[in-house]
Amino acid sequence: MNYLFNKIREYLLAFNIGLGPVIWFMDFSLGSIKLILFISLILLHFKVLLYKKTYRYWNFFLIIIFLLFISLFKDLNYSNDKLLVLFTFIQNYYFFILGYYYINNNLISIRFIKSILSVVVFFCILTISNFIIGIPDWIQPFQIQKFEEMQVHNYERFTSPLYSTGFGLARTGWATTLSQFIPLALILREFKNNIFGNLSLLIITSSIVFTGSRGGLLITLFIISIYIILRLPLIKQFLIFLAIISISLFLVYSENSFLYEFYRLDSDDISTGRAILYNFVPEMLYEGGILGLGYSGSINFFSDKINSSIAFHNVYLRLMVDYGFIFGLIIIFISMFIIFKIIKIYIFNYNIEIVLISFVLISGIISGFLEPSAMYEARYWWIPFWFFCGVILNIYKYEKSSIYFRR
């Protein structure tokens, strides 16, 4: 009976992690379904919450929640959106302590990794199918609602196809969150003749490429490049890098190529208007002060200044602007702390499985410079990051430099 309970618990956790970047399906949002799954996960792991040792880095977490609460409700205005921000930070911490618990009790297996990948690969296949044959021709429900609202006001509006948005909100959000799963596919690839690992790597990478997201492609190439340097013979490294450089040069100099247009490299402003936003950072920090501009403060600021409700695509600076200087510095400290642990893993020559898990964290850290919410405030999307962050910090704390996942 206990064996069955543990298996149900393991598969439900894997399903939650794999479903992280997926926020809709067909024509409906998965918000309510994900909440039910999350509550079920808590109930099945209820005993874990009873142990005092479960609450790792608890003081840091309480400080973050306290500062966030003060900043969100300093104007005494209540809203569900503000509560959801608090919920997101609590949820991220929960998956962090689950990762810490699972690796500490040797509960992570190759089967567990496969289960996670099976979920996300299924959705990636649908986006690839849409790119190749146009099936399924689903449109993100949030886009349809926005399209109808814009039509009422006679504004021109276009909907993006499934292969572009994926099952997220937009191309970059889907592509960057998918990059979390590439290291898991690489772990499976380490096993000889592992067809599923190679297929997962191909399918996830293809889904990222087809979105047209430059940020997602950048992270993907960065992760795969590090893996190539670490694992492949010198001659193969040379050939692969030669291919990457050739494709890059082709994109840069072939102005009429399909890829050149697909990745919008023909644009006068390759940052799509985001680079200019950095000019306002000193002013926003000055106005925000210790407690920040408040919820959506940076968006409201840009709406007043440049008449555009654009989000600031740098999670580290945006959180500092919205929630205060102290809060932002703590977030930057946590990010630097994670980076330091990753570097230590390389210095002390940890085994390849641990190194590849650290790539999940690298994808999140880089995404923080490309996305407005990324791994800190994007609800559900980055739970793989926080789960494996718990795994890495536990491994480092107890110096398990040669730990292997169960076969």
Side-chain angles (χ1 to χ4, degrees), residues 41-59:
L41 198 65
I42 292 175
L43 293 175
L44 289 176
H45 290 85
F46 186 71
K47 284 187 176 180
V48 177
L49 297 176
L50 299 179
Y51 300 123
K52 184 179 180 180
K53 291 184 178 180
T54 295
Y55 300 94
R56 299 294 178 174
Y57 301 97
W58 178 245
N59 291 336

Side-chain angles (χ1 to χ4, degrees), residues 139-338:
I139 301 295
Q140 183 196 88
F142 311 102
Q143 279 198 85
I144 295 175
Q145 180 182 357
K146 188 68 175 178
F147 179 80
E148 293 172 349
E149 292 175 358
M150 297 290 275
Q151 277 190 321
V152 171
H153 296 91
N154 295 319
Y155 292 139
E156 188 176 16
R157 180 78 180 181
F158 300 96
T159 55
S160 300
L162 176 62
Y163 68 79
S164 179
T165 64
F167 290 93
L169 288 177
R171 60 163 63 94
T172 302
W174 174 250
T176 54
T177 50
L178 279 187
S179 67
Q180 299 171 95
F181 300 95
I182 289 178
L184 305 187
L186 291 174
I187 287 176
L188 296 188
R189 192 185 181 282
E190 285 295 306
F191 297 91
K192 293 182 178 179
N193 302 317
N194 193 305
I195 298 175
F196 184 73
N198 288 321
L199 282 177
S200 297
L201 179 62
L202 176 62
I203 291 169
I204 294 171
T205 301
S206 297
S207 185
I208 291 172
V209 169
F210 292 157
T211 62
S213 167
R214 294 172 301 221
L217 181 62
L218 174 67
I219 297 172
T220 301
L221 291 177
F222 184 75
I223 290 173
I224 293 178
S225 295
I226 299 177
Y227 176 74
I228 290 170
I229 293 171
L230 290 175
R231 302 303 289 170
L232 296 184
L234 188 60
I235 184 64
K236 288 187 177 180
Q237 289 184 31
F238 174 75
L239 292 174
I240 291 175
F241 282 126
L242 182 63
I244 292 174
I245 292 172
S246 298
I247 293 172
S248 300
L249 290 174
F250 178 77
L251 285 174
V252 172
Y253 291 105
S254 301
E255 296 186 3
N256 296 321
S257 73
F258 167 75
L259 290 176
Y260 190 86
E261 296 179 3
F262 188 70
Y263 281 96
R264 303 168 311 286
L265 297 175
D266 54 345
S267 173
D268 293 333
D269 181 9
I270 199 169
S271 71
T272 59
R274 294 168 185 167
I276 194 176
L277 303 183
Y278 284 87
N279 296 332
F280 296 99
V281 170
E283 185 179 350
M284 287 191 292
L285 289 175
Y286 177 77
E287 288 191 15
I290 295 177
L291 296 179
L293 297 175
Y295 179 74
S296 293
S298 54
I299 293 178
N300 296 331
F301 180 92
F302 292 133
S303 181
D304 293 337
K305 288 290 182 178
I306 59 176
N307 197 30
S308 176
S309 299
I310 187 172
F312 191 26
H313 280 58
N314 183 314
V315 69
Y316 310 109
L317 289 177
R318 189 193 65 77
L319 291 179
M320 184 177 289
V321 167
D322 284 1
Y323 304 132
F325 194 72
I326 298 176
F327 183 87
L329 286 179
I330 292 175
I331 293 297
I332 292 174
F333 171 79
I334 292 172
S335 303
M336 294 299 296
F337 179 77
I338 293 172

Side-chain angles (χ1 to χ4, degrees), residues 42-78:
I42 292 175
L43 293 175
L44 289 176
H45 290 85
F46 186 71
K47 284 187 176 180
V48 177
L49 297 176
L50 299 179
Y51 300 123
K52 184 179 180 180
K53 291 184 178 180
T54 295
Y55 300 94
R56 299 294 178 174
Y57 301 97
W58 178 245
N59 291 336
F60 271 113
F61 174 68
L62 288 181
I63 292 172
I64 288 172
I65 292 298
F66 174 75
L67 291 173
L68 185 61
F69 181 86
I70 295 298
S71 181
L72 287 171
F73 296 101
K74 64 180 180 180
D75 56 4
L76 303 180
N77 291 327
Y78 165 86

